[in-house]
Every structure is written in structure tokens, then in C-alpha cells.
Amino acid sequence: IDPDDFLANAGMGSAYVDLERYDQAIPFLQKALAARKNHTVAYVSLAQAFEKLEQFDKAIETYQQGIAVAAQKGDITPMKDMQAQLQRLTAKPA
């Protein structure tokens, strides 16, 4: 597998998220986004990995970036998913 291939990195990152191996997912997803900054699904997976590792600031930043990209592209479903996750993360307890 070409180590610089977008699909290979995105696929490996998503697979590691599915396997709950979040620390291993992050480098692959970051590399995928470096190759293709407009891939909204990779933002979702990367933010989830950060969130599961309790790196909440990074998760929030990633969701915000992903929402901006999704809005620009018109990717409504990923955008709504990321908005809901972002709202949950940033909501203040009552």
C-alpha cells in the first residue's frame, strides 16, 4: 500500500476507529486530511478518535474544521452529525 495514498490512510484510520484503537487511528486520519482537506468523513472519524482519547480541545477544533468544510461542500449529513457532537461537547452542565 502506498503510504501517501489518501484512500489507504482514510481506510486504515476508519478501521482503527471501528476497532477502538483510537491512538493508532489519528496519524492515518491526519495524513488522509493532509492529502484531501475536504473529506468530511475523515474529520468525523478524527474528531471521534480525539474525543474517545479525552482530547476534547482537539476534538472540538476538528469538528469545527469539519463543519466548515461540510458547509462549503454542501455535505449536509456529516455537517449535522458534527454540529450535534460539537454542541454536546461544548454544552455547559446546568
Side-chain angles (χ1 to χ4, degrees), residues 49-60:
F50 283 136
E51 191 174 345
K52 294 294 186 178
L53 292 171
E54 298 183 359
Q55 296 179 20
F56 300 116
D57 289 342
K58 289 181 181 181
I60 289 168

Side-chain angles (χ1 to χ4, degrees), residues 2 7-8 10 19 27 29 34-36 39 42 49 54 57 65 74-76 82 86 89-92:
D2 179 358
L7 287 176
L19 293 170
L29 294 166
R36 195 174 295 171
H39 194 267
E54 298 183 359
D57 289 342
Q65 291 169 349
D75 284 349
I76 302 302
M82 287 186 282
L86 180 61
L89 277 176
T90 58
K92 303 282 186 217

Side-chain angles (χ1 to χ4, degrees), residues 13-25 49 52-53:
S14 293
Y16 279 130
V17 168
D18 290 343
L19 293 170
E20 299 180 2
R21 293 166 63 179
Y22 307 110
D23 57 332
Q24 291 176 295
K52 294 294 186 178
L53 292 171

Side-chain angles (χ1 to χ4, degrees), residues 39-79:
H39 194 267
T40 53
V41 175
Y43 284 101
V44 173
S45 295
L46 180 59
Q48 288 173 342
F50 283 136
E51 191 174 345
K52 294 294 186 178
L53 292 171
E54 298 183 359
Q55 296 179 20
F56 300 116
D57 289 342
K58 289 181 181 181
I60 289 168
E61 181 182 339
T62 304
Y63 281 130
Q64 290 170 335
Q65 291 169 349
I67 290 166
V69 169
Q72 186 176 25
K73 286 181 62 181
D75 284 349
I76 302 302
T77 300
M79 183 177 72

